[in-house]
Amino acid sequence: MEKEIDEKVQGQSLVLENKPENTKKLYIESYGCAMNFSDSEIVASILTNEGYNTTQILEEADLVLVNTCSIRDKAEQTVRKRLEKYNAVKRDINPKMKVGVLGCMAERLKEQFLEQEKIVDMVVGPDAYKDLPNLLAEIEDGRDAINVILSKEETYGDISPVRLNSNGVSAFVSITRGCDNMCTFCVVPFTRGRERSREPKSIITEIQQLWDTGYKEITLLGQNVDSYLWYGGGLKKDFDKATEMQQATAIKFEQLLEMVAVGFPKMRIRFSTSNPQDMHEEVLHIIAKYPNICKHIHLPVQSGSNRILKEMNRLHTREEYMKLIDNIKLIIPNVCITQDMIAGFPTETEEDHQDTLSLMEYVKYSFGYMYSYSERPGTLAGRKLEDDVAEETKARRLQEIVDLQRIHSAFRTKEFLGQTVEVLVEKTSKKSDNDLSGRNSQSITAVFPKEHYKIGDFVNVKITNCTSGTLIGEAVGYSEMN
């Protein structure tokens, strides 16, 4: 396990099947969360219709786009280094190249990129991707282009994403955009706007298209999927103003999840991310009821201290979170629970840190994403709280969290020894071409000898060994999902 996982989806150059009639070349990279990766698929789809084919060769690109993350300073510094690289290529090799910034960092820094630093030609916020053709026309006319206006309606539900750098097995399906939870450390409400849900029919249509082209697994995606609410359009916060009929026929997350599970019984279903305050028991019963819904819940807690949770504006207590954990394990006995944790939030004391470690001992998460606190300009914590925990203290506390998580991860993988688990094969193992790799329902990677199996198969694997992060076993036949 890494000391700190910086990007849940690492930066990638993305390639799709090119169209012979397209003459321009696009190079696009995505950093940050899974939502950014999904957004890049939307962007590539829009630009395919504007005459762009994608390329993996930076030097030959007519347009270079980087889809950015602002959740931590380190993520922004990674993007800045990439922009330096792009501009060096533009200066020394390809002066006709245009460079654009997409996503959360574009929304947060806006004119600074264009006017103060003058390092890009185009800045496009997460809700403005449909305006890309107009912005490209602005660039062609010799003008800088910017659109960072946040939308109250845009969900991109009418755009069929291309599947970039895909294994042909797993895909993201976005169901919500934005977030209404004002956690004091988080920039997402400011960079992605208010929460709104995508029309269910368009979600089902996209999943059907994936199924028809051979995909075996989808992840329903949003900043906070459990608060999905469709009542005919509009912001979640305005639901109480909806008509009586709209309220009566509204579709919540548990209903959407069941619709997908019933409609696609041979498709494996995941979802991310959940907020503890919005996860209700109805969702847990749906997960338990349908075998094709994965038994994995990513449930960020951020801290085990009630005082720090309050400072973070997390609308739950330590005790409420622990009660939710108990309920999850009662309803879904074979569930895997994973975490996000922040070390060194402002004013965090050693006692607060020990509360976090004790919460981890209580839950024993299977794995997690762990970070040192990084002050984000514009957030309430950035404006109101002094970043007063010394960097060396942050580093030490983070290491203690990581070390404890490593112990718990090993504990959880050992629980699978002797069991037979269903694995969806996603790729060839990195360590050996003779082995295949995939995840079980609990989202833990399993590796086993290839034999006659192939990518996309559901295989029953008997687990004979493990590391803290990987199950090792032998195939004992195809599963019923094939």
Side-chain angles (χ1 to χ4, degrees):
M1 181 179 298
E2 295 180 4
K3 178 178 178 183
E4 180 176 354
I5 300 175
D6 256 330
E7 288 94 21
K8 294 180 186 176
V9 176
Q10 299 292 330
Q12 299 181 48
S13 57
L14 307 169
V15 179
L16 66 154
E17 184 176 349
N18 289 331
K19 291 186 176 181
E21 65 271 23
N22 288 354
T23 59
K24 293 173 284 189
K25 294 183 178 180
L26 166 69
Y27 182 94
I28 182 169
E29 288 187 341
S30 183
Y31 291 87
C33 66
M35 184 64 78
N36 273 6
F37 187 93
S38 178
D39 279 0
S40 289
E41 296 183 331
I42 291 169
V43 168
S45 178
I46 292 168
L47 291 179
T48 296
N49 295 328
E50 295 299 313
Y52 284 88
N53 283 334
T54 59
T55 178
Q56 287 185 303
I57 303 172
L58 172 63
E59 290 77 9
E60 70 179 20
D62 298 291
L63 176 63
V64 176
L65 298 176
V66 57
N67 201 341
T68 61
C69 175
S70 279
I71 198 164
R72 289 175 304 283
D73 180 67
K74 192 172 181 180
E76 290 195 354
Q77 294 309 314
T78 298
V79 169
R80 287 190 175 279
K81 289 179 181 177
R82 294 304 293 160
L83 288 172
E84 290 176 6
K85 171 69 173 178
Y86 304 154
N87 279 282
V89 171
K90 181 177 180 179
R91 181 187 65 243
D92 301 332
I93 300 175
N94 184 359
K96 294 183 179 180
M97 175 190 291
K98 303 299 181 183
V99 177
V101 173
L102 312 176
C104 294
M105 199 171 169
E107 186 70 39
R108 192 178 80 77
L109 296 177
K110 300 177 183 176
E111 293 89 350
Q112 182 175 332
F113 278 134
L114 284 170
E115 298 175 6
Q116 298 176 25
E117 300 182 31
K118 300 185 183 299
I119 55 175
V120 299
D121 304 289
M122 179 169 61
V123 176
V124 190
D127 290 346
Y129 298 142
K130 286 182 180 177
D131 197 34
L132 276 166
N134 296 326
L135 297 173
L136 289 169
E138 292 283 315
I139 294 175
E140 291 300 320
D141 288 340
R143 297 187 295 270
D144 292 334
I146 181 171
N147 187 339
V148 291
I149 297 173
L150 291 174
S151 170
K152 294 181 180 180
E153 294 86 24
E154 185 61 78
T155 64
Y156 299 109
D158 58 334
I159 292 178
S160 179
V162 298
R163 302 299 164 180
L164 301 170
N165 205 28
S166 172
N167 59 8
V169 175
S170 303
F172 295 124
V173 177
S174 173
I175 67 169
T176 71
R177 297 185 73 82
C179 185
D180 288 348
N181 296 319
M182 299 297 290
C183 299
T184 60
F185 55 83
C186 187
V187 297
V188 167
F190 306 104
T191 59
R192 288 188 171 271
R194 301 306 298 264
E195 188 175 301
R196 62 270 190 201
S197 297
R198 180 177 168 188
E199 195 270 323
K201 184 178 179 181
S202 71
I203 296 171
I204 299 299
T205 298
E206 183 176 338
I207 297 171
Q208 184 67 59
Q209 291 170 346
L210 289 166
W211 174 253
D212 291 343
T213 50
Y215 283 81
K216 301 294 183 68
E217 178 182 276
I218 54 103
T219 299
L220 303 177
L221 198 63
Q223 261 76 36
N224 187 13
V225 291
D226 291 272
S227 61
Y228 176 90
L229 177 65
W230 175 262
Y231 60 94
L235 300 178
K236 179 191 170 187
K237 72 180 183 68
D238 294 329
F239 178 60
D240 58 347
K241 302 176 185 176
T243 67
E244 186 174 334
M245 180 174 292
Q246 284 178 312
Q247 292 181 344
T249 58
I251 295 176
K252 299 179 181 180
F253 180 59
E254 60 266 24
Q255 294 164 306
L256 176 68
L257 192 59
E258 186 167 35
M259 287 168 58
V260 177
V262 172
F264 303 91
K266 296 291 187 178
M267 177 82 84
R268 191 188 257 185
I269 303 159
R270 301 187 186 275
F271 60 88
S272 186
T273 294
S274 296
N275 190 303
Q277 72 197 48
D278 293 307
M279 174 159 274
H280 305 297
E281 187 172 312
E282 292 83 358
V283 172
L284 304 180
H285 287 294
I286 295 297
I287 297 170
K289 182 178 179 181
Y290 295 98
N292 58 328
I293 301 178
C294 289
K295 306 308 184 262
H296 167 223
I297 297 175
H298 185 62
L299 198 63
V301 64
Q302 312 300 356
S303 174
S305 161
N306 276 334
R307 192 182 67 80
I308 294 298
L309 288 172
K310 187 174 181 180
E311 293 285 359
M312 290 177 167
N313 196 35
R314 302 286 287 178
L315 302 181
H316 60 84
T317 65
R318 169 193 176 93
E319 291 75 22
E320 289 168 338
Y321 184 86
M322 293 166 72
K323 184 177 179 180
L324 176 59
I325 293 292
D326 292 342
N327 210 22
I328 291 171
K329 291 181 178 181
L330 179 66
I331 296 171
I332 317 168
N334 58 340
V335 72
C336 160
I337 302 172
T338 56
Q339 48 89 345
D340 284 358
M341 207 72 75
I342 296 173
F345 189 80
T347 78
E348 183 185 75
T349 65
E350 198 61 31
E351 182 180 358
D352 296 323
H353 173 58
Q354 292 301 319
D355 283 345
T356 292
L357 296 179
S358 70
L359 178 66
M360 292 178 67
E361 288 283 12
Y362 184 84
V363 180
K364 290 185 172 59
Y365 298 99
S366 294
F367 55 90
Y369 301 100
M370 296 149 285
Y371 319 98
S372 293
Y373 173 72
S374 174
E375 183 177 280
R376 300 284 72 213
T379 62
L380 188 61
R383 297 196 309 269
K384 301 291 187 180
L385 298 176
E386 181 185 354
D387 188 4
D388 59 354
V389 179
E391 290 302 316
E392 57 269 23
T393 302
K394 288 182 186 178
R396 190 258 302 166
R397 290 176 183 170
L398 176 61
Q399 190 61 55
E400 290 178 3
I401 290 171
V402 170
D403 290 344
L404 184 58
Q405 181 57 64
R406 186 176 289 112
I407 293 170
H408 293 161
S409 294
F411 172 80
R412 290 303 184 191
T413 55
K414 286 177 182 176
E415 290 183 317
F416 287 95
L417 291 176
Q419 292 188 29
T420 297
V421 301
E422 182 187 75
V423 175
L424 173 57
V425 181
E426 297 175 312
K427 58 187 177 182
T428 300
S429 171
K430 292 180 180 179
K431 293 186 176 181
S432 172
D433 291 340
N434 296 320
D435 292 337
L436 294 174
S437 174
R439 289 177 294 166
N440 66 358
S441 177
Q442 289 76 16
S443 201
I444 299 174
T445 297
V447 176
F448 62 95
K450 182 181 293 185
E451 299 179 17
H452 58 279
Y453 301 102
K454 62 185 184 300
I455 292 171
D457 285 342
F458 285 99
V459 182
N460 289 324
V461 178
K462 185 173 182 179
I463 304 305
T464 57
N465 201 354
C466 66
T467 68
S468 64
T470 304
L471 304 175
I472 301 166
E474 298 176 352
V476 294
Y478 293 104
S479 86
E480 294 180 356
M481 286 285 284
N482 277 301

